[in-house]
Structure formats: C-alpha cells, structure tokens
C-alpha cells in the first residue's frame, strides 16, 4: 500500500531522500542487531555457566545450613548470626554495551571490626555447630560470584529488551516502510510519466490542429 | 559443709516418675520413618507433647512448643529441687545467651526477640543492665565481662568478641561455683563440656585457617586438657591429635569423630559423640538415690530430647533422607 501523496516532482524528491535514509538506517540497525546478538550470546553463555555453578554451590551451602539449623536451637542460631562481621559496600556504575546501559557493580567488603584476623565468623565456639562454619564459609565464598551473576543477569535482561526493540525496528523498516516508499516512488514516477505523455500528446494534437488551420 | 542428702528424697522420686515420660529411641525411629513432617508430628503427639501440639497450627512453628517445654521443665526442676542454686547454674548458659543477644542488639541499635526466658537472673534485670550500662546488679564475673565487652567493642567493633568473652565467663563461673558449692558431679560435667568444646574448637579453628594465637585466646581454660597443648596441635595433622588423646577418656570419641571429620569433612559425628559422651557421664549418676545427680541428668535428657525432636522435625519438613537424620540422633538418657 502506498502512501497518499500528491504526485509531484517535489514530493518524489522528498520520498527518494526518505527511501535512501530508510535503507541506510535499515542497514545500520541490522548491523547493530547482529552485534547485539553476538554480545548477548557471550553474556548468556557466561550467565548460564555462572548460574549453574552458583546453584550447585548454593544447594550445597543450604543443605549444610539446614543441618546446622537442625542441631541448634533457633535462638542460638540467630544470635550467632545476628551481627555480621562484614559489611558490603556496593557502587553501581553504568556501562555502555552497544548503547545499552548495563550496570557494573563495584563492591568492597569491609570488616566491621578492626580485629587483626579477618574472620568471617561472627560467633563464638560454644553452643554453635561446626556445620554452621562450613555453610558460612561456602556462602561467603560465593558472594563475589553471586554479585557477578546479578550483574550479568541484569545485563542480559536489558540486552534482550534492546534486541527485541532493534529487531522490531529492522523488521518495520524492511517489511513496511521501505516497500511502501518504493511503491510510492514508483507510483509517482508512473503518474509523472503519464502526465508527461499526456502533455506530449496534447502538444502534438495542438500542433496538428494549428497546422491544419494554416 | 555437709549437706543432708535426704532432702533430695522428694525431688529424686519426682524426677524418676518424669523420666518414664521421656521419649525412647523407638519413638524417634518411628518419627524418622514417618512419611512427612506432619506424620512425624503425629507420632510426637502420642507423647507428653500432646497438649502443646494440639494448639500448634503450623508445623513450622514447632520451635515454640520446644521452647515452652524447656522452660516448663527448668522451672519444674528448679521448684522441686531443695537447692535451687545448683539447678540455677545449669540455667546460667541461658543468661549468657540472653546477654549475648542484648549486647548485640544494643550495638546494632535494634530490639531482639531472641531472648530465652529461662535463666537465673531475671530477664528484665538483664535488659535494664545492658541498656542502662549499669551492671552493678549482675554477679561479679558477669559484671567484669560486660565492662570488658563494652570496652573492647568500642575499639574493635568485632561481634565475635561478645560471644568469646561471654562463653569464657560462662565456664569460669560454672567451674568456680561448682567448687564453691562442693558439687563434684557438676564440676565433672562442666569440665567435660569444656574439654569437648575445646576439642571441637581446635579443629574448627584449624579448618578456618586461623592462627595458633587466636586459638589460644578462644580455648576455654579450666578443662583437663591443657590449653597450651591443645593450641600446639593446630600446627600438627589431625592424626597426632588422635594419638595424643589415645590414653585419655576421649580416645574413642576423638578417634571416631575426628577421623570422620577429616575424611568426610563433616563434624556431625563428633558433635553427636560428644553429646553421647555427656549423656553417658550423667547416666552414671542416674541411680544415685539422694542427690542432685538425677535432677541434672533429667534436665540434660530433656535438652537432648528436644534437640533430637528438632533434628527429626527439621529433617522431615525439609525432606532430608532418613539416613542423614538417623546419624544425627543422639542417644537417649533412659
């Protein structure tokens, strides 16, 4: 379906300009989409690895935690963990991947106490189960990976959105705008040609009439 | 001071009667074999817990039942005991727990609901002392510990220190009181608990990769195993710990428990054997006709029973395999 326009030469020029613009845009967007997808695939693969790894570790840590929970009264357990030794400070920066702003996390773990030994265990040894130690240790070890996963996963989400948007634009250009413009250009050219031919025949006709009269 | 033992007549008789209501190994076995947490609870409600369980609307709140039971048993034994001070000593660990909670809550600027209303000092008094920074009402040792905590925390802001100081003062106080009140049976109990805790601490600190210096600070003094000797063990392989204790009372438990720990990385066996060891010690006093021993034994039995119930229920609710529940169940006292 063509666009309703006045079939004038000016309109034709305008449309032709739009068409080249659309074609250039289409090419650029297509490149952007391909690159986005490439980046996306890298991230997704990383995400998958990280996630599988973390899920395994977490299941393990939770299982151990459960056992620690089973042998300690709930009050003891919560008392043991109520005041953490570490404080996590998180800074979030923006990072530009193909004009998608993805988050980048910078974090510092700070010891809340100035104690010389950086112990991650905020509790004493009486009345706490050794099974708690191992689960705390695992949890504390996977925290950096967990942060990384959060970063990657959010990036993947944002990229996916962007890819979808870009793809929709590419499709719109490819299947709607460009064909329409082409059709309209064709329509106007035909119309102009037609009227040119009309004018020509009219001129010839007039010429005949004038010549006959002479 | 020689105490006339016969004053224990009533208390011992009463406890003997109560002992018959303790859960037996068979009942735990049935709970373990139950298909779900609810089923396990049903087995439990055939016992003395029936009344409390009837009011339980959500299985996940079973802890309240256990806490109530513990409080009830403590108050009961305290009431029937002719010398409640001795039983009060056993409640001291709850005072210490409450102090830990109060201190941490104060340092965090929150209020906490983790207090356990069992204990020899009234809760309100403790709460007041910690919030007002006025420890005059506390027993002397606790007072000193409290001041030490405040001082240390202001400098280091290390929450572990709260636990470490209070744990140490707990056993200091217990041993001293036991000696003062001439209760060799209780002293024996505390000394054994110190030793077992120290052994566990040694291995835990070793696995955490912390220094010998740190270890010698956290080991509890006044046990039968010398602190320096234990601290030295941190640099040795676990095998030499086993051989060091080869001729001590702890040979069996350390041999089995530590080996399992170093091979499978699981402390559960050692912890279970430690509890069993204490149970076995207290069982020796079970048939004393007049004395504090059966009372202490009963209280411990109740604590173990509650621990076992917790293990089974937590395990059942979370669908742990029966085997890993079973291997954590402690021996029962009866």
């Amino acid at each position: 379906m063509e666009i309703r326009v006045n079939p004038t030469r000016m309109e034709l020029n305008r449309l032709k300009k739009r068409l080249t613009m659309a074609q250039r845009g289409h090419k650029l967007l297509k490149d952007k989409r391909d690159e986005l997808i490439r980046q996306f695939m890298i991230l997704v693969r990383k995400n998958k690895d990280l996630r599988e790894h973390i899920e395994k570790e977490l299941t393990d840590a939770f299982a151990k935690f459960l056992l620690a929970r089973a042998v300690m009264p709930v009050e003891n357990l919560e008392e043991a963990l109520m005041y953490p030794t570490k404080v996590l400070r998180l800074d979030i920066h923006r990072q530009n991947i193909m004009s998608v702003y993805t988050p980048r996390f910078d974090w510092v773990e700070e010891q809340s106490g100035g104690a010389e030994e950086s112990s991650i265990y905020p509790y004493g040894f009486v009345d706490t189960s050794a099974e708690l130690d191992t689960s705390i240790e695992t949890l504390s070890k996977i925290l950096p990976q967990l942060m990384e996963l959060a970063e990657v996963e959010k990036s993947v989400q944002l990229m996916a959105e962007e890819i979808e948007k870009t793809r929709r634009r590419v499709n719109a250009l490819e299947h709607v705008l460009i064909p329409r413009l082409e059709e309209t250009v064709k329509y106007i050219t035909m119309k102009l040609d037609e009227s040119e031919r009309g004018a020509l025949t009219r001129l010839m006709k007039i010429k005949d009439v004038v010549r006959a009269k002479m | 001071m020689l105490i006339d033992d016969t004053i224990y007549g009533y208390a011992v008789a009463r406890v003997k009667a109560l002992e018959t209501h303790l859960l037996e190994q068979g009942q735990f076995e049935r709970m373990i074999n139950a298909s779900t947490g609810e089923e396990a609870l049903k087995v439990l409600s055939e016992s003395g817990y029936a009344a409390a369980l009837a009011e339980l609307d959500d299985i996940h709140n079973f802890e309240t039942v256990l806490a109530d039971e513990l409080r009830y048993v403590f108050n009961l034994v305290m009431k029937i005991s002719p010398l409640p001070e001795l039983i009060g000593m056993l409640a001291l660990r709850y005072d210490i727990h409450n102090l830990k909670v109060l201190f941490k809550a104060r340092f965090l600027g929150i209020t906490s609901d983790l207090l356990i209303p069992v204990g020899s000092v009234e809760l309100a008094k403790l709460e007041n002392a910690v919030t007002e920074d006025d420890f005059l009402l506390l027993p002397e040792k606790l007072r000193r510990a409290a001041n030490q905590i405040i001082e240390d925390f202001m400098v280091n802001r290390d929450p572990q220190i709260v636990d470490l100081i209070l744990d140490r003062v707990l056993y200091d106080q217990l041993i001293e009181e036991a000696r003062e009140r001439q209760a060799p049976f209780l002293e024996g109990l505390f000394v054994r608990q110190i030793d077992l805790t120290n052994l566990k601490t040694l291995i835990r600190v070793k696995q955490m990769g912390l220094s010998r210096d740190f270890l010698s600070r956290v080991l509890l003094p006044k046990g039968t195993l010398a602190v320096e000797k234990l601290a030295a063990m941190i640099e040795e392989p676990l095998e030499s710990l086993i051989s060091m204790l080869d001729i001590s009372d702890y040979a069996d438990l350390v041999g089995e428990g530590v080996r399992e720990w170093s091979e499978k990385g699981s402390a559960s066996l050692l912890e279970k054997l430690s509890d069993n060891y204490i149970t076995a010690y207290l069982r020796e006093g079970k048939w004393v006709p007049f004395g504090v021993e059966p009372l202490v034994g009963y209280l411990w039995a109740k604590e173990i029973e509650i621990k076992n119930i917790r293990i089974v229920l937590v395990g059942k609710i979370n669908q742990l395999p029966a085997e890993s529940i079973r291997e954590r169940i402690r021996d029962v006292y009866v």
Side-chain angles (χ1 to χ4, degrees):
Chain A
M1 205 191 85
E2 72 269 27
I3 307 163
R4 294 206 170 277
V5 282
N6 292 329
T8 61
R9 205 160 282 280
M10 208 160 95
E11 201 60 43
L12 180 67
N13 277 337
R14 219 172 55 84
L15 280 176
K16 271 187 177 162
K17 235 180 247 163
R18 269 182 79 188
L19 181 62
T20 38
M21 175 89 106
Q23 273 161 346
R24 222 175 66 204
H26 173 242
K27 192 178 165 312
L28 279 173
L29 279 174
K30 223 161 108 178
D31 287 352
K32 179 182 172 185
R33 184 195 64 189
D34 292 348
E35 178 60 17
L36 268 176
I37 288 180
R38 198 182 64 83
Q39 299 263 10
F40 180 74
M41 289 315 285
I42 297 174
L43 277 182
V44 162
R45 234 165 263 145
K46 192 171 161 199
N47 188 32
K48 181 166 175 277
D49 289 348
L50 259 176
R51 208 182 166 97
E52 273 167 7
H53 175 70
I54 283 177
E55 266 171 17
K56 205 175 117 272
E57 294 267 324
L58 270 186
T59 327
D60 206 37
F62 285 151
K64 278 181 193 145
F65 191 75
L66 190 65
L67 295 175
R69 159 77 188 83
V71 290
M72 284 170 71
V74 68
E75 288 92 355
N76 273 6
L77 182 69
E78 293 201 19
E79 181 272 317
L81 301 175
M82 87 190 252
Y83 197 132
T85 45
K86 297 242 169 161
V87 181
L88 189 92
R89 246 204 5 229
L90 178 67
D91 288 327
I92 303 177
H93 303 287
R94 291 207 304 182
Q95 174 176 250
N96 191 342
I97 307 178
M98 298 296 301
S99 77
V100 186
Y101 287 106
T102 56
R104 208 186 65 229
F105 295 162
D106 277 335
W107 64 92
V108 212
E109 271 179 61
E110 281 169 359
Q111 193 72 13
S112 83
E116 65 275 29
E117 305 218 39
S118 58
S119 157
I120 50 169
Y121 312 95
Y123 45 81
F125 297 94
V126 179
D127 280 341
T128 52
S129 165
E131 294 187 271
L132 191 58
D133 299 353
T134 33
S135 67
I136 295 285
E137 197 196 339
T138 336
L139 283 174
S140 133
K141 253 199 295 195
I142 54 175
L143 183 69
Q145 291 168 7
L146 214 54
M147 304 288 287
E148 205 183 329
L149 179 68
E151 188 183 294
V152 172
E153 215 162 275
K154 188 70 203 169
S155 304
V156 164
Q157 249 176 42
L158 290 170
M159 300 267 290
E161 256 170 52
E162 184 67 21
I163 287 176
E164 202 181 311
K165 244 197 273 174
T166 317
R167 186 147 57 193
R168 202 169 288 151
R169 275 195 207 145
V170 171
N171 282 346
L173 281 176
E174 192 175 320
H175 297 296
V176 182
L177 193 60
I178 293 178
R180 262 193 212 176
L181 285 173
E182 277 170 352
E183 235 169 89
T184 319
V185 168
K186 210 165 132 199
Y187 160 74
I188 296 179
T189 347
M190 267 158 63
K191 203 78 176 180
L192 284 177
D193 283 358
E194 181 64 31
S195 59
E196 201 172 323
R197 273 193 299 276
L200 200 66
T201 29
R202 197 159 44 240
L203 273 177
M204 285 164 84
K205 191 85 185 164
I206 291 171
K207 218 174 156 189
D208 281 352
V209 172
V210 170
R211 199 171 286 161
K213 276 197 175 165
M214 284 198 344
Chain B
M1 182 178 74
L2 205 72
I3 305 167
D4 177 14
D5 275 346
T6 52
I7 53 172
Y8 276 103
Y10 170 70
V12 171
R14 178 93 187 254
V15 159
K16 286 286 144 205
L18 288 171
E19 266 172 19
T20 57
H21 294 300
L22 285 170
L23 293 180
E24 287 160 24
Q25 207 91 40
Q27 276 164 301
F28 284 117
E29 195 53 41
R30 277 178 59 208
M31 282 173 74
I32 295 172
N33 290 332
S35 51
T36 59
E38 280 78 9
E39 289 294 316
L41 214 54
K42 229 172 258 169
V43 177
L44 191 61
S45 52
E46 290 165 13
S47 67
Y49 293 89
L53 286 177
E55 289 170 19
L56 189 70
D57 42 7
D58 182 3
I59 186 167
H60 294 94
N61 296 335
F62 70 87
E63 285 278 354
T64 53
V65 175
L66 300 186
D68 287 349
E69 178 75 10
L70 186 67
R71 190 170 58 223
Y72 169 74
V73 168
F74 249 100
N75 289 337
L76 176 74
V77 175
M78 196 91 108
K79 206 170 67 197
I80 60 175
S81 170
L83 295 171
E85 310 90 79
L86 289 183
I87 302 303
M89 287 168 68
L90 295 173
L92 188 64
R93 70 167 62 244
Y94 298 104
D95 289 330
I96 294 290
H97 166 84
N98 289 338
L99 271 178
K100 285 181 190 169
V101 172
L102 288 170
F103 270 116
K104 288 185 179 177
R106 184 186 139 179
F107 293 144
L108 283 170
I110 55 170
T111 49
S112 173
D113 54 353
L114 300 173
L115 299 169
I116 304 179
V118 179
S120 54
V121 187
E122 271 170 56
L123 257 183
K125 230 159 105 184
L126 283 182
E127 257 178 305
N128 212 26
V130 174
T131 45
E132 302 291 318
D133 228 341
D134 172 18
F135 306 108
L136 281 175
L137 287 170
L138 297 186
E140 205 224 323
K141 280 204 161 144
L142 287 184
R143 187 165 68 223
R144 246 185 294 152
N147 286 325
Q148 203 186 337
I149 287 171
I150 299 266
E151 255 171 54
D152 199 294
F153 196 84
M154 287 306 144
V155 183
N156 289 324
R157 307 204 74 78
D158 182 5
Q160 197 178 28
I161 219 77
V162 178
D163 282 15
L164 294 180
I165 292 179
L166 284 172
D167 286 343
R168 177 175 291 247
V169 98
L170 165 67
Y171 279 104
D172 263 7
Q173 174 82 13
L174 286 179
I175 294 279
E176 186 171 297
E177 252 187 81
R179 281 188 195 146
E180 231 167 63
R181 299 188 198 281
Q182 296 177 353
F185 185 72
L186 281 175
E187 191 184 333
L189 168 67
F190 301 141
V191 165
R192 281 166 178 79
Q193 284 178 336
I194 291 178
D195 283 345
L196 292 171
T197 306
N198 277 346
L199 283 174
K200 235 170 61 182
T201 307
L202 163 64
I203 307 177
R204 289 168 71 181
V205 171
K206 191 174 161 70
Q207 300 214 322
M208 289 174 187
L210 298 178
S211 70
R212 176 175 174 174
D213 202 44
F214 177 79
L215 176 63
S216 28
R217 269 189 293 131
V218 300
L219 287 176
L220 303 166
K222 306 203 174 171
T224 56
L225 308 167
V227 169
E228 303 82 52
K229 260 194 188 161
L230 280 176
M233 275 301 159
I234 196 169
E235 282 143 20
E236 311 276 333
L238 287 177
E239 283 301 316
S240 47
L241 177 69
I242 299 174
S243 56
M244 175 177 114
L245 296 169
D246 216 12
I247 43 164
S248 72
D249 285 353
Y250 307 113
D252 291 349
L253 139 172
V254 168
E256 248 183 276
V258 174
R259 196 151 289 139
E260 167 108 355
W261 196 341
S262 61
E263 275 165 17
K264 292 192 191 151
S266 157
S268 61
L269 185 63
L270 183 65
E271 288 183 349
K272 171 181 159 167
L273 290 175
S274 301
D275 279 347
N276 286 353
Y277 184 84
I278 297 287
T279 309
Y281 170 71
L282 291 175
R283 219 183 264 141
E284 284 170 25
K286 192 178 168 190
W287 300 112
V288 172
F290 302 109
V292 76
E293 288 87 342
L295 305 188
V296 178
Y298 178 68
L299 275 178
W300 173 263
K302 205 68 199 182
E303 280 186 29
I304 288 294
E305 175 178 298
I306 286 173
K307 201 179 237 183
N308 277 343
I309 292 174
R310 182 178 302 115
I311 295 170
V312 175
L313 286 183
V314 170
K316 275 292 149 200
I317 291 173
N318 296 289
Q319 290 154 5
L320 289 185
E323 205 34 57
S324 68
I325 300 178
R326 195 170 291 124
E327 68 188 21
R328 284 179 173 77
I329 291 287
R330 273 70 172 154
D331 285 355
V332 296
Y333 174 71
V334 281

